[in-house]
């Protein structure tokens, strides 16, 4: 069983829809990252979380330390949000990555 | 104990010039934050880095960029300076504490760099 599980693996949405991507982990972590990778592009860190909730523009990330679960929400989705979203956790000075969620937003 | 070190302490530039501010975090800290405080204003969060990756982005203008290097120090690069960029720029560092449930993230601030754009 992977230490970091993401769901769904693939997600297709219509423009304007509210998107939720989930991440569950099984190890004790010191921080959790949500990363974004566009086709042919580099990886951008969207959020680093250690507790609670963060918001940046149309993106919201939450984490529940007790339940070992985090969610990434995208409000009013847009085709430019199409990318792979990766959950990564840090523990024991190492990083573990989820398999990613491929999001496609159609106009 | 070592604190957050910022350099230079004071910087005077003219409009349209560039400036680079440096921040050396507390040893073993892995996160760096940049803030801008204009005259008579509250500090505004600009950007942060965790383990050399941009972790959060605040109200940083497109003319500004920042990065965190392999030794964890950070630099804030400011181009096409405007009069309104005159401010006190603070850097803070923190270490994500994994020893407790709900990690702590206390930020320790440097003394700041006062930038004056003439």
């Amino acid at each position: 069983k992977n230490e970091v599980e993401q769901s769904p693996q693939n997600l297709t949405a219509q423009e304007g829809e509210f998107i939720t991507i989930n991440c569950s982990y099984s190890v004790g972590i010191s921080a959790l990252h949500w990363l974004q990778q566009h086709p042919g592009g580099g990886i951008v860190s969207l959020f680093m979380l250690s507790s609670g909730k963060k918001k940046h523009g149309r993106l919201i990330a939450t984490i529940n330390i007790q339940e070992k679960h985090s969610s990434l929400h995208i409000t009013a989705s847009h085709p430019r949000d199409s990318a792979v979203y990766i959950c990564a956790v840090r523990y024991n000075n190492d990083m573990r990555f989820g398999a990613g969620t491929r999001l496609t937003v159609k106009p | 104990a070592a604190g957050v070190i910022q350099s230079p302490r004071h910087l005077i530039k003219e409009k349209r010039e560039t400036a680079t501010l440096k921040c050396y975090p507390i040893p073993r800290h892995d996160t760096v934050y940049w803030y801008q405080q204009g005259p008579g204003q509250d500090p505004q969060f600009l950007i942060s880095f965790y383990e050399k990756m941009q972790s959060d982005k605040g109200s940083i203008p497109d003319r500004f960029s920042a990065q965190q290097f392999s030794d964890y120090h950070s630099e804030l690069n400011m181009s096409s300076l405007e009069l309104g960029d005159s401010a006190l720029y603070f850097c803070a560092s923190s270490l994500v504490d994994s020893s407790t449930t709900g990690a702590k993230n206390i930020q320790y601030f440097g003394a700041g760099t006062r930038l004056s754009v003439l």
Side-chain angles (χ1 to χ4, degrees):
Chain A
K1 187 180 188 295
N2 291 335
E3 291 156 323
V4 183
E5 296 276 357
Q6 281 186 241
S7 64
Q9 288 186 336
N10 293 284
L11 180 58
T12 300
Q14 287 298 130
E15 183 174 358
E17 285 186 1
F18 181 83
I19 305 292
T20 296
I21 301 172
N22 295 299
C23 176
S24 296
Y25 51 92
S26 57
V27 294
I29 69 169
S30 55
L32 181 144
H33 288 264
W34 280 104
L35 311 172
Q36 180 193 56
Q37 184 174 35
H38 283 279
I43 293 176
V44 174
S45 174
L46 299 174
F47 295 103
M48 183 197 74
L49 294 165
S50 53
S51 64
K53 172 182 174 180
K54 287 189 176 179
K55 183 177 187 294
H56 182 69
R58 295 181 295 106
L59 302 178
I60 303 167
T62 63
I63 187 168
N64 186 315
I65 297 291
Q66 286 73 25
E67 294 183 4
K68 291 187 166 61
H69 180 269
S70 175
S71 293
L72 176 67
H73 306 285
I74 305 176
T75 61
S77 59
H78 190 276
R80 64 174 175 266
D81 297 327
S82 298
V84 175
Y85 292 85
I86 303 166
C87 172
V89 300
R90 184 192 184 199
Y91 82 107
N92 293 339
N93 290 321
D94 198 1
M95 296 288 290
R96 292 288 185 266
F97 294 84
T101 295
R102 184 174 298 280
L103 171 65
T104 303
V105 181
K106 294 184 175 180
Chain B
V4 176
I5 298 173
Q6 290 187 243
S7 70
R9 290 295 305 277
H10 302 275
L11 188 60
I12 299 174
K13 291 284 185 178
E14 296 190 357
K15 286 196 307 183
R16 292 180 288 278
E17 286 192 321
T18 61
T20 297
L21 309 186
K22 297 185 178 183
C23 172
Y24 296 87
I26 292 173
R28 297 194 306 279
H29 278 196
D30 50 19
T31 307
V32 170
Y33 311 80
W34 284 98
Y35 297 86
Q36 176 193 57
Q37 185 176 29
Q41 297 177 2
D42 295 333
Q44 297 293 318
F45 170 70
L46 295 178
I47 196 167
S48 64
F49 291 86
Y50 167 69
E51 287 289 349
K52 292 148 281 184
M53 292 189 294
Q54 180 186 309
S55 55
D56 257 337
K57 191 173 181 180
S59 53
I60 185 169
D62 292 341
R63 298 177 289 108
F64 294 5
S65 64
Q67 58 180 324
Q68 186 179 31
F69 294 85
S70 58
D71 64 351
Y72 294 96
H73 94 272
S74 178
E75 294 183 3
L76 177 65
N77 298 293
M78 311 158 71
S79 63
S80 301
L81 287 170
E82 302 174 355
L83 296 179
D85 297 328
S86 297
L88 191 56
Y89 291 83
F90 288 105
C91 170
S93 74
S94 69
L95 173 66
V96 178
D97 180 3
S98 60
S99 64
T100 61
T101 299
K104 299 176 185 175
N105 201 26
I106 299 172
Q107 297 183 28
Y108 296 83
F109 283 77
T113 293
R114 184 169 295 282
L115 172 66
S116 298
V117 181
L118 306 179

